[in-house]
Amino acid sequence: MTVAEVLERGQTDPAAAHVFTRTYAADALAAARAADAAAPGPERPLAGLPVTIKDLFDVAGETTLSGTSVRRGLPAAEADAVVVARLRRSGAAITGRTNMVEYAFGGVGLNPHLGTPRNPADPDVARVPGGSSSGAAVSVGLGLAVAAVGSDTAGSVRIPAALCGLVGFKPTQRRVPLTGAVELSRSLDSVGPIAHSVADCLTLDAVLADDPLDVAARPLSGMRLAAATTLVLDDLEPAVATAYERALRILADAGASVEEVPLPQLGRIAELNQPAGLSPIECYAAHGELVRSRHDEVDPRVWQRMAPGHGISAADYLAIQDRRARWIAETERALAPFDAVLCPTVPIVAPAIAELEASDEAYFAANRLLLRNPFVVSWLDGCAFSLPCHAPGELPVGLMVAGPRGTDARVAEVALAAELALAAR
C-alpha cells in the first residue's frame, strides 16, 4: 500500500476512527516522493515508509497535546523532538500523530474526550486496544503504518502490542533520548517501537537511538531462559495461561533451557514504590498544577491516578529512588545467569470497551492487571519485547522476553529466536 493509499484509508475507513489526532498528508507525500527520487542507502533506512508518532512528541510549530485538551493554548514547540528529527533524517513518511490515554497515564487505552480506537484483532467485539499508546498499535494493526513510535513508562508500548497481536519493544531508558517528549515519569519513561516483527522493531530502534544494536542470529539451543513465577502468573485468564504454557513448550522443544525461577523480588515492588508511587509523584510535579485547576476537563480516571502524587515530601520521594536502586542491583544479580526472563506480557486478553467505559471498578481492575507485569521491567530499568504467542483464531496474547538494563542486544537475540520458533509452530 502506498503512502497516498494509507493516508486516504486513514481518513475514510471506519475502522480507523479515533486512531489519529492529527495527520500530515503533505509532509508524508513529500517524503514518499523524495524516497522515490533518491537512490536507496543505509543512511535512510525508513525512506518512504509510513510511520506514526504518539501524540506526546514535539513537532516544531505545534502545541503537543499529550492526548488532552487541557494543554491547548500552551506554547508551540520550537523544535522537533529528538526522535521525530531522527525519523525525518531516516526518510520516514510521518503520516500522523496517534491517539493516546491522556498524559499517557493508563494501560487500557480509553480516551473519553478524543474517542477510543478499536482493537483490530476482533471483528466481532469492540475491544480495548491497550494503552497508553493506543492509536500507535491500532495504526500498525490496521496497516496504516509499517511501524509506530510510542512511549513506555509501565508498559505503554508492550500492552497495546500484546492486546493487538503485534511486537513491541521497550528499550533500556537511556537508549533513546526523551528530549521533546511530554513526560509522565522521568524516572521510568522510555521510547520504543511497535511493528509486525522483531526485525522491524530493531530497524526503527536503530533510528530512534541513532545506534544499531549489535545483534547476532543465535539458535535457541543453548539459551538459558528464566520463566518467572512470582506475581507475574497471578490471575491469568485461561486463554493467556494456555498460550503462555504452549509458548514455553515450543521454546523448550526448540532447544532452550527454560527454568522456572521464583524471583521473590518481584513481590516487593508495590511496597518499595510507596507512598503514592514514582509515576503519580513525577506526573503531578510536571503537570499537576495545570491539571488541578482544570481537572473537570480531564478523564477523571486519569486525575484519580495523578492526584496522589500531590504533597509527597522530597524525603519520601528520594527514599523510593534509593529503595529502587538497591532492588535493581539485587534483581540484576539474580538474573545474571540467564539470557532473558519470560512471563506473559499481560495476564488477560483485551476486555470489551463497553464494559470498562461503564464501570470504574472494572476499569481499575483491568488497568491494574494490564500494567502489573510490564511495570516489573520498567521498575528494573530493563528492556523487553512483547511477542505474539497465540494460535490462529485465538485472541492475542503476548509473551514478554526481558532482561536488565543494558542487555538490549542479548534480549533481542532471544526475541528473534523465540519469534522464529513460535512462527514455525
Side-chain angles (χ1 to χ4, degrees):
M1 192 177 291
T2 67
V3 170
E5 290 169 332
V6 163
L7 289 165
E8 181 179 2
R9 186 180 168 201
Q11 296 297 313
T12 60
D13 187 344
H18 312 305
V19 170
F20 293 101
T21 59
R22 184 166 187 158
T23 54
Y24 301 113
D27 287 350
L29 290 169
R33 287 192 293 268
D36 290 342
E43 71 283 356
R44 291 170 60 81
L46 302 179
L49 296 177
V51 174
T52 60
I53 58 172
K54 188 174 181 177
D55 187 27
L56 52 62
F57 296 110
D58 283 349
V59 173
E62 299 177 9
T63 297
T64 306
L65 298 181
S66 196
T68 178
S69 61
V70 172
R71 291 180 56 85
R72 293 189 188 279
L74 295 184
E78 296 182 0
D80 288 342
V82 168
V83 295
V84 173
R86 289 177 176 177
L87 288 171
R88 294 194 199 280
R89 191 174 67 202
S90 77
I94 300 174
T95 54
R97 290 184 183 266
T98 52
N99 198 359
M100 57 181 285
V101 178
E102 287 184 86
Y103 286 106
F105 216 158
V108 171
L110 302 187
N111 189 312
H113 306 299
L114 300 177
T116 298
R118 175 174 171 163
N119 190 322
D122 190 340
D124 301 318
V125 178
R127 297 182 181 273
V128 301
S132 63
S133 306
S134 52
V138 177
S139 73
V140 176
L142 289 176
L144 303 177
V146 297
V149 182
S151 67
D152 190 311
T153 302
S156 288
V157 159
R158 290 163 288 159
I159 295 166
L163 295 187
C164 293
L166 301 166
V167 178
F169 177 42
K170 179 229 175 294
T172 302
Q173 186 192 47
R174 64 176 178 265
R175 180 162 174 75
V176 180
L178 291 162
T179 306
V182 176
E183 68 181 272
L184 166 56
S185 170
R186 64 185 60 185
S187 297
L188 302 168
D189 292 345
S190 60
V191 177
I194 299 173
H196 285 287
S197 69
V198 174
D200 286 353
C201 281
L202 291 175
T203 298
L204 194 57
D205 171 76
V207 170
L208 301 176
D210 198 25
D211 179 24
L213 290 168
D214 185 10
V215 177
R218 294 173 55 200
L220 279 168
S221 179
M223 290 185 179
R224 189 178 178 193
L225 308 177
T229 59
T230 300
L231 184 71
V232 295
L233 301 184
D234 294 350
D235 302 312
L236 294 191
E237 286 188 347
V240 176
T242 297
Y244 177 63
E245 290 163 7
R246 181 175 59 220
L248 294 187
R249 288 196 302 271
I250 290 170
L251 301 186
D253 289 346
S257 172
V258 180
E259 306 172 33
E260 287 193 351
V261 179
L263 292 178
Q265 297 90 342
L266 307 188
R268 294 165 34 215
I269 295 173
E271 177 187 352
L272 298 176
N273 198 25
Q274 293 301 318
L278 283 180
S279 293
I281 294 169
E282 294 181 336
C283 187
Y284 193 94
H287 312 294
E289 291 309 315
L290 172 64
V291 175
R292 188 178 187 182
S293 64
R294 300 172 59 183
H295 72 267
D296 57 327
E297 300 175 46
V298 176
D299 180 354
R301 292 162 171 174
V302 170
W303 172 243
Q304 189 170 332
R305 295 192 67 213
M306 187 189 299
H310 177 59
I312 302 300
S313 71
D316 282 341
Y317 172 71
L318 292 174
I320 296 173
Q321 296 283 18
D322 290 344
R323 290 193 296 268
R324 181 187 180 213
R326 291 192 293 269
W327 183 92
I328 288 173
E330 176 188 344
T331 306
E332 286 178 340
R333 288 193 295 271
L335 293 177
F338 299 98
D339 289 290
V341 60
L342 308 176
C343 70
T345 307
V346 294
I348 60 176
V349 298
I353 292 173
E355 279 177 35
L356 304 192
E357 285 181 335
S359 166
D360 281 355
E361 182 180 1
Y363 172 86
F364 283 113
N367 194 57
R368 282 192 296 271
L369 286 172
L370 290 170
L371 293 166
R372 187 194 67 200
N373 291 6
F375 184 67
V376 167
V377 180
S378 298
W379 184 256
L380 183 63
D381 189 22
C383 51
F385 283 87
S386 180
L387 309 178
C389 66
H390 56 287
E394 297 175 349
L395 288 172
V397 173
L399 171 69
M400 190 154 60
V401 180
R405 56 189 170 188
T407 64
D408 302 62
R410 188 176 75 201
V411 168
E413 291 171 350
V414 177
L416 283 166
E419 180 183 54
L420 189 62
L422 292 169
R425 291 289 293 270

